[in-house]
Amino acid sequence: GAGVSQSPRYKVAKRGRDVALRCDSISGHVTLYWYRQTLGQGSEVLTYSQSDAQRDKSGRPSGRFSAERPERSVSTLKIQRTEQGDSAVYLCASSFYRAWGYGYTFGSGTRLTVV
Amino acid sequence: QKEVEQNSGPLSVPEGAIASLNCTYSDRGSQSFFWYRQYSGKSPELIMSIYSNGDKEDGRFTAQLNKASQYVSLLIRDSQPSDSATYLCAVKDGSSNTGKLIFGQGTTLQVKP
């Protein structure tokens, strides 16, 4: 498709379990970002990965969150040992660069509920 | 820690009025600024981008940037009920060569008929 798609749309996980969220981005977009949206803290970048499939844990909080690129246009956000505070909407965004600057395309998000 | 600050609101304006949304940022190296609109349960959509000091107008929307004051704003003229949404201010991390955005918390706008 022409946009960024995320799956699943909704996810319920038991506290302490690991979860994996998927993002299918647009071919040619180099960098994929994972953002977490919560009512209290707004949107914060968790991690991102570039086209050479490097993993980066530079977002916060680090450690339990990592992103992998099993394929060029696919990113998987892995959350280890989920906590109740991880309940949020997780947005994937891919960025591309043009002469006028950076553009971004967002997915519609995965709503994670940790119980 | 690089931050982007917005008043979370809600900001309530009557239909037809001007809505003014404000944002301040801490990273003096930032050069690219964005306003996104997000309806509940939907992904953010780009409304405006601005890179130079001054005003940039697009239809009913005007973005204003003042780098010296580290301030960016969005004005919505002739506000409509369909403008009711959360508006996210985003600043490109000035030290990042990958385009990483830093978002504010978002301002909820309510336009009352």
Side-chain angles (χ1 to χ4, degrees):
Chain A
V4 176
S5 63
Q6 292 185 241
S7 60
R9 190 81 172 88
Y10 301 94
K11 175 74 177 176
V12 179
K14 281 193 171 182
R15 187 175 55 181
R17 296 287 178 91
D18 298 350
V19 298
L21 310 179
R22 179 182 170 110
C23 172
D24 289 83
S25 74
I26 299 169
S27 177
H29 285 201
V30 175
T31 307
L32 298 184
Y33 297 88
W34 284 96
Y35 290 90
R36 177 171 68 180
Q37 277 195 322
T38 57
L39 277 177
Q41 297 176 340
S43 306
E44 56 175 340
V45 63
L46 292 172
T47 187
Y48 65 91
S49 61
Q50 296 181 281
S51 60
D52 58 1
Q54 284 182 336
R55 284 187 294 163
D56 184 282
K57 301 181 181 180
S58 61
R60 51 161 186 162
S62 61
R64 296 189 300 110
F65 294 77
S66 62
E68 296 183 353
R69 293 283 280 269
E71 301 169 35
R72 205 171 181 88
S73 60
V74 176
S75 176
T76 302
L77 176 69
K78 295 189 174 182
I79 309 174
Q80 297 177 305
R81 304 180 303 280
T82 52
E83 303 171 356
Q84 285 195 314
D86 296 334
S87 296
V89 174
Y90 290 81
L91 287 173
C92 171
S94 67
S95 73
F96 56 92
Y97 186 78
R98 298 289 184 268
W100 45 261
Y102 281 95
Y104 305 86
T105 305
F106 284 87
S108 52
T110 293
R111 180 174 293 278
L112 172 66
T113 303
V114 180
V115 297
Chain B
Q1 178 115 349
K2 296 172 184 175
E3 294 184 339
V4 176
E5 299 286 340
Q6 293 179 255
N7 189 329
S8 61
L11 172 65
S12 183
V13 301
E15 183 175 356
I18 295 175
S20 177
L21 306 166
N22 304 314
C23 174
T24 59
Y25 60 94
S26 64
D27 182 8
R28 287 198 171 272
S30 298
Q31 299 295 322
S32 306
F33 307 87
F34 307 87
W35 282 99
Y36 285 85
R37 177 177 62 196
Q38 187 174 24
Y39 293 111
S40 180
K42 302 294 184 183
S43 58
E45 56 177 326
L46 183 66
I47 297 296
M48 293 283 286
S49 59
I50 187 166
Y51 307 98
S52 305
N53 278 329
D55 295 0
K56 179 181 177 183
E57 186 175 319
D58 183 2
R60 295 186 297 112
F61 299 94
T62 299
Q64 299 174 318
L65 175 62
N66 184 326
K67 291 183 181 179
S69 301
Q70 295 174 243
Y71 174 91
V72 58
S73 66
L74 179 70
L75 300 178
I76 306 175
R77 290 183 299 281
D78 188 23
S79 296
Q80 301 297 309
S82 59
D83 294 328
S84 297
T86 296
Y87 289 80
L88 302 171
C89 173
V91 175
K92 180 181 168 299
D93 185 338
S95 63
S96 168
N97 62 356
T98 60
K100 183 169 70 174
L101 293 179
I102 303 169
F103 283 92
Q105 288 187 312
T107 298
T108 301
L109 174 66
Q110 297 173 346
V111 181
K112 306 211 167 178

